């Protein structure tokens, strides 16, 4: 019995990452379980974190778990190679993960073949680390064009941009980042932050508390899209 349960859990984690929220609910501590949220009925907001996994990511995951909040992480392939376990843990806690290229370079200046390479190598690295092949992609610096979108589509990826950016990397101050997030928050919004910015991770317990007080449900981008996406070749929001 026990052996079977463990084996089933292991198989679920490695072979069926699409079912990660269910797996997390079954095997992880209760705090990481989240009842299905219907964003058509309640006020939802998607927090997104780019450029990791980094040294601060485990602390951020802990904060999110305590708050029962879900988020979306756009991972850089090169960083996933350095911290594959953190990438795996992010997914196992019910968060969504997406592709943020292999080396975090501005794509529109590259040749078609190079753009494709950046996206595809990141897909492979992320899948190798987590068992999950992303369906979402975010171009570094938000630099994109028709070619980038088409190349993402060829890799079966939707493009996810944002409705508000905190510029947390330039603020580098927890109080200012908190203020900016609260100003940008709106129903169905997608907020861009970075788990590589220590002040962002530091500000997050306060930010989550305040957003929840304002009635927000903190969800992943796919949850925000209410089952209507992400669709390959489409740019959101
Ligand atoms: Ni980035």
């Amino acid at each position: 019995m026990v052996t079977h349960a463990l084996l089933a859990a292991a198989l679920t984690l490695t072979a069926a990452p699409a079912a990660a929220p269910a797996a997390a609910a079954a095997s992880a501590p209760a705090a990481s379980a989240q009842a299905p949220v219907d964003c058509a009925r309640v006020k939802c907001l998607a927090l997104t974190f780019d450029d990791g996994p980094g040294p601060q990511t485990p602390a951020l995951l802990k904060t999110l778990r305590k708050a029962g909040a879900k988020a979306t992480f756009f991972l850089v392939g090169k960083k996933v190679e350095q911290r594959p376990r953190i990438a795996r843990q992010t997914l196992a806690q019910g968060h969504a993960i997406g592709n943020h290229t292999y080396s975090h370079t501005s794509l529109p200046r590259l040749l078609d073949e190079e753009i494709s390479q950046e996206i595809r190598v990141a897909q492979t690295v992320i899948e190798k680390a987590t068992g999950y092949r992303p369906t979402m992609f975010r171009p570094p610096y938000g630099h994109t064009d028709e070619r980038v979108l088409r190349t993402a589509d060829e890799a079966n990826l939707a493009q996810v941009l944002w409705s508000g950016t905190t510029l947390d990397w330039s603020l580098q101050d927890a109080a200012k980042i908190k203020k900016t997030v609260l100003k940008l928050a709106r129903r169905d919004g997608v907020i861009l932050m970075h788990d590589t910015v220590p002040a962002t991770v530091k500000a997050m317990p306060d930010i989550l508390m305040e957003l929840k007080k304002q009635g927000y449900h903190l969800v992943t981008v796919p949850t925000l899209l209410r089952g209507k996406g992400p669709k390959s070749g489409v740019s959101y929001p």
Side-chain angles (χ1 to χ4, degrees):
M1 285 291 273
V2 173
T3 315
H4 273 133
L6 285 174
L7 186 61
L11 285 172
T12 311
L13 284 175
T14 55
S27 60
S32 78
Q34 188 180 41
V37 176
D38 182 358
C39 295
R41 290 181 41 237
V42 299
K43 192 160 110 176
C44 285
L45 179 68
L47 302 179
T48 68
F49 299 94
D50 288 11
D51 298 3
Q56 319 289 329
T57 309
L60 175 61
L61 290 175
K62 198 171 160 193
T63 299
L64 291 168
R65 196 182 60 221
K66 274 191 193 161
K70 300 300 177 202
T72 304
F73 291 77
F74 288 94
L75 308 177
V76 171
K78 213 159 58 176
K79 305 269 193 73
V80 173
E81 284 178 337
Q82 292 160 6
R83 294 186 167 82
R85 206 175 53 80
I86 307 298
R88 214 156 41 237
Q89 195 189 341
T90 303
L91 190 68
Q93 285 189 18
H95 304 295
I97 59 173
N99 180 323
H100 197 41
T101 75
Y102 179 72
S103 67
H104 201 273
T105 188
S106 176
L107 297 175
R109 65 186 180 84
L110 301 182
L111 301 170
D112 286 11
E113 184 50 39
E114 294 169 325
I115 298 173
S116 176
Q117 183 103 339
E118 275 288 337
I119 293 174
R120 283 167 194 277
V121 174
Q123 285 292 84
T124 305
V125 167
I126 294 169
E127 187 174 14
K128 191 178 160 215
T130 66
Y132 173 76
R133 198 164 179 85
T135 59
M136 297 181 293
F137 151 81
R138 177 174 277 166
Y141 316 103
H143 293 174
T144 188
D145 59 16
E146 279 305 312
R147 254 174 359 117
V148 170
L149 187 55
R150 193 181 62 232
T151 310
D153 187 21
E154 284 163 9
N156 297 314
L157 289 164
Q159 176 171 273
V160 178
L161 301 173
W162 52 83
S163 62
T165 172
T166 54
L167 299 179
D168 54 351
W169 49 270
S170 105
L171 292 174
Q172 298 282 354
D173 176 279
K176 286 182 189 161
I177 291 167
K178 180 186 170 189
K179 205 174 145 195
T180 310
V181 172
L182 297 177
K183 204 168 69 188
L184 292 170
R186 60 172 173 75
R187 188 169 182 177
D188 292 335
V190 178
I191 307 277
L192 166 62
M193 288 173 281
H194 297 84
D195 47 330
T196 49
V197 174
T200 295
V201 176
K202 195 176 154 210
M204 205 47 56
D206 266 10
I207 291 174
L208 295 175
M209 202 167 65
E210 186 55 37
L211 289 173
K212 283 165 70 179
K213 210 188 289 173
Q214 293 182 17
Y216 283 105
H217 290 71
L218 303 167
V219 300
T220 64
V221 169
T223 300
L224 195 73
L225 296 175
R226 300 161 199 179
K228 288 177 230 146
K231 284 193 184 122
S232 175
V234 175
S235 188
Y236 301 89

